Amino acid sequence: MGKDFYQILGVSRGAKADEIKKAYRKMALKYHPDKNKSPGAEEKFKEIAEAYEVLSDENKRVIFDKYGEEGLKSGGMPGGAGPSGFPGGAGGFSGFSSGGMPGGTFRFTSSGGGDPRDTFFKVFGTNDPFSQMFNFEPMDVDSSSGDDDSMFDGVRSRRGGANGFPQFFGGAGQRGGLGGFGGGMGGRQHVRQDPPVEHDLPLSLEELSRGVTKKLKITKQVLNGSGQERSEEKVLTIEVKPGWKAGTKIRFPQEGNQTPGRLPADVVFVVKEKPHQCLRREGNDLHYTATVPLKLALTGCSVDVPALDGNIIRTSIKDVISPQFTKRLSGRGMPISKTPNQRGDLVIHFNIEFPQTLSSAQKVVLQQTL
């Protein structure tokens, strides 16, 4: 009976590509032979790579789901046999070659394409996973909004080398042991990464007040196992937290294009506040300017302020309103992102309308009154 690649990676048969990649990352780090010296770790490392190579490839996965491991060995049909095994080693993993869509010919090859370290490099961009090179930042996402913006296409960045491997110390795809690549022991891999690719993320004050989930579609170039490029669409999900300010950056590590010799650039979205029709934001406070006639400024009035939740905030003012007068409503401003149960203030300013003309009698009354 053939191997169950889903069981090897600990994922369900309906697992999505991201789940499969995450499971591979976790297990590959655990059983990497440069770190794990226990008996059987190296063979497990090869087996994990074999499972990932099959399940991460749509065509191979279709054949495996239908016919199992034997179907892959026999060119997409059950019952056949074919060579297996890493070159010169245990574990049963070898490279695959394919021609076309599901149902085409798939066969094991015994060439060097089956090295599990190649698979590791393809996923991590390094064969020295313990050099503290990477800073992966997981994103917490929510699906409370159905927004689907297709405004961010052609995100550019780089990764890999010839056939997806970097060029170190005078050679493409040369590897050493832990801490050494092609140059022997003691060398350290230094794969350069392009600068972050930034895009604006325009948000209204209403969205920044209540929080919202944005789904942003990007199109990028990725490398297959033979180093060939293909376009891939991906939806990045951003959970906008209540109280975020303009300039807040949301980083998606290494989601840029893959090109030989470089790591993919990080994709960064920068929050931009859309202008509001009535309100203006300063820090955590909201500001509103009300226009009142001179008579009400002197005798008192009520002011209606449109709130971000669609309601109206009515406040009564009994003081004399001068041009410098402001009314501050505590806790009616923007949420404070680090403590969202607290809010800034709503500050009301006043624009006083003066009459264009006054009659002689009105002037007399004012003079006697004031």
mmCIF file of all heavy atoms in Angstrom, residues 4 18-19 22 38 67 70 104 108 111 125 127 142 165 171 196 216 235 269 287 300 341 349 366:
data_model
loop_
_atom_site.group_PDB
_atom_site.id
_atom_site.type_symbol
_atom_site.label_atom_id
_atom_site.label_comp_id
_atom_site.label_asym_id
_atom_site.label_seq_id
_atom_site.Cartn_x
_atom_site.Cartn_y
_atom_site.Cartn_z
ATOM 1 N N ASP A 4 0.511 7.671 2.430
ATOM 2 C CA ASP A 4 -0.556 8.656 2.536
ATOM 3 C C ASP A 4 0.105 10.001 2.807
ATOM 4 O O ASP A 4 0.502 10.309 3.931
ATOM 5 C CB ASP A 4 -1.527 8.291 3.662
ATOM 6 C CG ASP A 4 -2.721 9.249 3.719
ATOM 7 O OD1 ASP A 4 -2.639 10.347 3.138
ATOM 8 O OD2 ASP A 4 -3.729 8.884 4.346
ATOM 9 N N ASP A 18 -2.358 26.905 1.472
ATOM 10 C CA ASP A 18 -1.693 27.575 2.596
ATOM 11 C C ASP A 18 -1.528 26.633 3.789
ATOM 12 O O ASP A 18 -0.510 26.683 4.487
ATOM 13 C CB ASP A 18 -2.489 28.808 3.029
ATOM 14 C CG ASP A 18 -2.375 29.945 2.029
ATOM 15 O OD1 ASP A 18 -1.485 29.867 1.167
ATOM 16 O OD2 ASP A 18 -3.170 30.894 2.116
ATOM 17 N N GLU A 19 -2.533 25.783 4.027
ATOM 18 C CA GLU A 19 -2.440 24.819 5.130
ATOM 19 C C GLU A 19 -1.338 23.796 4.872
ATOM 20 O O GLU A 19 -0.597 23.417 5.781
ATOM 21 C CB GLU A 19 -3.777 24.103 5.304
ATOM 22 C CG GLU A 19 -4.938 24.992 5.700
ATOM 23 C CD GLU A 19 -6.245 24.224 5.755
ATOM 24 O OE1 GLU A 19 -6.513 23.608 6.804
ATOM 25 O OE2 GLU A 19 -6.984 24.231 4.753
ATOM 26 N N LYS A 22 2.015 25.494 5.369
ATOM 27 C CA LYS A 22 2.257 25.734 6.798
ATOM 28 C C LYS A 22 2.673 24.446 7.500
ATOM 29 O O LYS A 22 3.592 24.435 8.331
ATOM 30 C CB LYS A 22 0.996 26.314 7.437
ATOM 31 C CG LYS A 22 1.156 26.651 8.908
ATOM 32 C CD LYS A 22 -0.119 27.278 9.457
ATOM 33 C CE LYS A 22 0.014 27.614 10.932
ATOM 34 N NZ LYS A 22 -1.236 28.206 11.485
ATOM 35 N N SER A 38 18.463 12.913 15.677
ATOM 36 C CA SER A 38 17.902 11.654 16.151
ATOM 37 C C SER A 38 17.784 10.660 15.004
ATOM 38 O O SER A 38 17.652 11.054 13.838
ATOM 39 C CB SER A 38 16.536 11.882 16.788
ATOM 40 O OG SER A 38 15.619 12.396 15.837
ATOM 41 N N TYR A 67 -5.461 7.899 -7.703
ATOM 42 C CA TYR A 67 -4.811 6.605 -7.830
ATOM 43 C C TYR A 67 -3.787 6.296 -6.735
ATOM 44 O O TYR A 67 -3.233 5.197 -6.698
ATOM 45 C CB TYR A 67 -4.091 6.518 -9.181
ATOM 46 C CG TYR A 67 -5.015 6.668 -10.359
ATOM 47 C CD1 TYR A 67 -4.891 7.749 -11.235
ATOM 48 C CD2 TYR A 67 -6.026 5.739 -10.601
ATOM 49 C CE1 TYR A 67 -5.733 7.894 -12.322
ATOM 50 C CE2 TYR A 67 -6.881 5.881 -11.692
ATOM 51 C CZ TYR A 67 -6.725 6.957 -12.547
ATOM 52 O OH TYR A 67 -7.562 7.101 -13.615
ATOM 53 N N GLU A 70 0.997 4.835 -6.206
ATOM 54 C CA GLU A 70 1.282 3.949 -7.330
ATOM 55 C C GLU A 70 0.855 4.584 -8.651
ATOM 56 O O GLU A 70 1.493 4.375 -9.690
ATOM 57 C CB GLU A 70 0.571 2.603 -7.137
ATOM 58 C CG GLU A 70 1.128 1.783 -5.981
ATOM 59 C CD GLU A 70 2.603 1.479 -6.156
ATOM 60 O OE1 GLU A 70 2.994 1.128 -7.276
ATOM 61 O OE2 GLU A 70 3.354 1.618 -5.184
ATOM 62 N N GLY A 104 -2.452 13.456 -17.752
ATOM 63 C CA GLY A 104 -1.277 13.333 -18.595
ATOM 64 C C GLY A 104 -0.302 12.360 -17.971
ATOM 65 O O GLY A 104 -0.630 11.606 -17.070
ATOM 66 N N PHE A 108 8.158 9.226 -11.919
ATOM 67 C CA PHE A 108 9.285 9.485 -11.053
ATOM 68 C C PHE A 108 10.550 9.578 -11.900
ATOM 69 O O PHE A 108 10.699 8.864 -12.894
ATOM 70 C CB PHE A 108 9.469 8.351 -10.043
ATOM 71 C CG PHE A 108 8.528 8.425 -8.891
ATOM 72 C CD1 PHE A 108 7.296 7.801 -8.933
ATOM 73 C CD2 PHE A 108 8.873 9.135 -7.773
ATOM 74 C CE1 PHE A 108 6.436 7.861 -7.866
ATOM 75 C CE2 PHE A 108 8.011 9.204 -6.690
ATOM 76 C CZ PHE A 108 6.787 8.564 -6.734
ATOM 77 N N SER A 111 16.807 11.634 -11.175
ATOM 78 C CA SER A 111 17.811 12.688 -11.286
ATOM 79 C C SER A 111 17.841 13.520 -10.022
ATOM 80 O O SER A 111 17.093 13.307 -9.091
ATOM 81 C CB SER A 111 17.474 13.584 -12.483
ATOM 82 O OG SER A 111 16.238 14.232 -12.268
ATOM 83 N N GLY A 125 13.599 29.700 1.066
ATOM 84 C CA GLY A 125 14.567 30.617 0.471
ATOM 85 C C GLY A 125 15.946 30.489 1.065
ATOM 86 O O GLY A 125 16.810 31.353 0.868
ATOM 87 N N ASN A 127 18.854 27.285 2.940
ATOM 88 C CA ASN A 127 19.099 25.962 3.491
ATOM 89 C C ASN A 127 19.695 26.067 4.890
ATOM 90 O O ASN A 127 20.086 25.067 5.483
ATOM 91 C CB ASN A 127 20.045 25.165 2.588
ATOM 92 C CG ASN A 127 19.292 24.516 1.446
ATOM 93 O OD1 ASN A 127 18.195 24.010 1.650
ATOM 94 N ND2 ASN A 127 19.853 24.555 0.254
ATOM 95 N N ASP A 142 -10.068 38.324 9.200
ATOM 96 C CA ASP A 142 -11.477 38.182 9.508
ATOM 97 C C ASP A 142 -12.231 38.298 8.189
ATOM 98 O O ASP A 142 -11.735 38.902 7.252
ATOM 99 C CB ASP A 142 -11.897 39.294 10.488
ATOM 100 C CG ASP A 142 -13.317 39.097 10.969
ATOM 101 O OD1 ASP A 142 -13.924 38.065 10.651
ATOM 102 O OD2 ASP A 142 -13.797 39.983 11.667
ATOM 103 N N PHE A 165 17.488 28.551 -7.463
ATOM 104 C CA PHE A 165 18.479 28.544 -6.390
ATOM 105 C C PHE A 165 19.393 29.748 -6.525
ATOM 106 O O PHE A 165 19.711 30.193 -7.628
ATOM 107 C CB PHE A 165 19.313 27.259 -6.442
ATOM 108 C CG PHE A 165 18.460 26.026 -6.397
ATOM 109 C CD1 PHE A 165 18.412 25.167 -7.464
ATOM 110 C CD2 PHE A 165 17.682 25.754 -5.293
ATOM 111 C CE1 PHE A 165 17.607 24.050 -7.431
ATOM 112 C CE2 PHE A 165 16.884 24.642 -5.248
ATOM 113 C CZ PHE A 165 16.844 23.785 -6.323
ATOM 114 N N GLY A 171 28.899 29.925 -7.673
ATOM 115 C CA GLY A 171 28.178 28.818 -8.289
ATOM 116 C C GLY A 171 26.701 28.899 -8.010
ATOM 117 O O GLY A 171 26.293 29.330 -6.949
ATOM 118 N N PRO A 196 10.725 46.766 0.284
ATOM 119 C CA PRO A 196 9.282 46.522 0.325
ATOM 120 C C PRO A 196 8.548 47.272 -0.776
ATOM 121 O O PRO A 196 8.923 48.379 -1.160
ATOM 122 C CB PRO A 196 8.875 47.042 1.714
ATOM 123 C CG PRO A 196 10.131 47.006 2.521
ATOM 124 C CD PRO A 196 11.237 47.291 1.564
ATOM 125 N N LEU A 216 -7.784 42.212 -0.716
ATOM 126 C CA LEU A 216 -7.076 42.880 -1.797
ATOM 127 C C LEU A 216 -6.415 41.849 -2.698
ATOM 128 O O LEU A 216 -5.610 41.035 -2.236
ATOM 129 C CB LEU A 216 -6.032 43.838 -1.225
ATOM 130 C CG LEU A 216 -6.568 44.790 -0.142
ATOM 131 C CD1 LEU A 216 -5.427 45.510 0.545
ATOM 132 C CD2 LEU A 216 -7.528 45.782 -0.742
ATOM 133 N N VAL A 235 -5.376 36.581 -2.921
ATOM 134 C CA VAL A 235 -6.147 37.575 -2.177
ATOM 135 C C VAL A 235 -5.537 37.716 -0.793
ATOM 136 O O VAL A 235 -5.448 36.758 -0.033
ATOM 137 C CB VAL A 235 -7.630 37.166 -2.078
ATOM 138 C CG1 VAL A 235 -8.394 38.161 -1.195
ATOM 139 C CG2 VAL A 235 -8.265 37.093 -3.455
ATOM 140 N N PHE A 269 0.977 47.550 2.801
ATOM 141 C CA PHE A 269 -0.128 48.470 2.566
ATOM 142 C C PHE A 269 -0.098 49.555 3.635
ATOM 143 O O PHE A 269 0.068 49.260 4.828
ATOM 144 C CB PHE A 269 -1.467 47.735 2.595
ATOM 145 C CG PHE A 269 -1.634 46.763 1.463
ATOM 146 C CD1 PHE A 269 -1.317 45.425 1.630
ATOM 147 C CD2 PHE A 269 -2.086 47.200 0.232
ATOM 148 C CE1 PHE A 269 -1.458 44.536 0.588
ATOM 149 C CE2 PHE A 269 -2.232 46.316 -0.820
ATOM 150 C CZ PHE A 269 -1.912 44.978 -0.640
ATOM 151 N N HIS A 287 -13.119 66.572 15.004
ATOM 152 C CA HIS A 287 -13.458 67.997 15.049
ATOM 153 C C HIS A 287 -14.579 68.289 14.058
ATOM 154 O O HIS A 287 -14.584 67.786 12.935
ATOM 155 C CB HIS A 287 -12.221 68.844 14.712
ATOM 156 C CG HIS A 287 -11.129 68.740 15.736
ATOM 157 N ND1 HIS A 287 -10.899 69.721 16.685
ATOM 158 C CD2 HIS A 287 -10.227 67.758 15.980
ATOM 159 C CE1 HIS A 287 -9.880 69.352 17.458
ATOM 160 N NE2 HIS A 287 -9.467 68.172 17.040
ATOM 161 N N GLY A 300 -27.911 81.299 23.036
ATOM 162 C CA GLY A 300 -27.927 79.864 23.286
ATOM 163 C C GLY A 300 -28.580 79.101 22.139
ATOM 164 O O GLY A 300 -29.451 79.634 21.434
ATOM 165 N N ASN A 341 -11.853 50.135 23.880
ATOM 166 C CA ASN A 341 -13.016 50.484 24.705
ATOM 167 C C ASN A 341 -12.964 51.942 25.138
ATOM 168 O O ASN A 341 -13.914 52.447 25.745
ATOM 169 C CB ASN A 341 -13.096 49.570 25.931
ATOM 170 C CG ASN A 341 -11.856 49.644 26.794
ATOM 171 O OD1 ASN A 341 -10.748 49.811 26.287
ATOM 172 N ND2 ASN A 341 -12.029 49.515 28.100
ATOM 173 N N HIS A 349 -16.346 73.261 16.962
ATOM 174 C CA HIS A 349 -15.947 74.651 16.729
ATOM 175 C C HIS A 349 -17.146 75.392 16.121
ATOM 176 O O HIS A 349 -18.101 74.763 15.646
ATOM 177 C CB HIS A 349 -14.749 74.705 15.779
ATOM 178 C CG HIS A 349 -13.573 73.890 16.230
ATOM 179 N ND1 HIS A 349 -12.536 74.410 16.954
ATOM 180 C CD2 HIS A 349 -13.287 72.554 16.058
ATOM 181 C CE1 HIS A 349 -11.644 73.455 17.208
ATOM 182 N NE2 HIS A 349 -12.086 72.324 16.680
ATOM 183 N N LEU A 366 -29.233 97.017 20.668
ATOM 184 C CA LEU A 366 -27.973 96.351 20.983
ATOM 185 C C LEU A 366 -27.107 97.217 21.899
ATOM 186 O O LEU A 366 -26.472 96.717 22.836
ATOM 187 C CB LEU A 366 -27.212 96.002 19.690
ATOM 188 C CG LEU A 366 -27.782 94.864 18.842
ATOM 189 C CD1 LEU A 366 -27.042 94.716 17.552
ATOM 190 C CD2 LEU A 366 -27.713 93.550 19.641
#
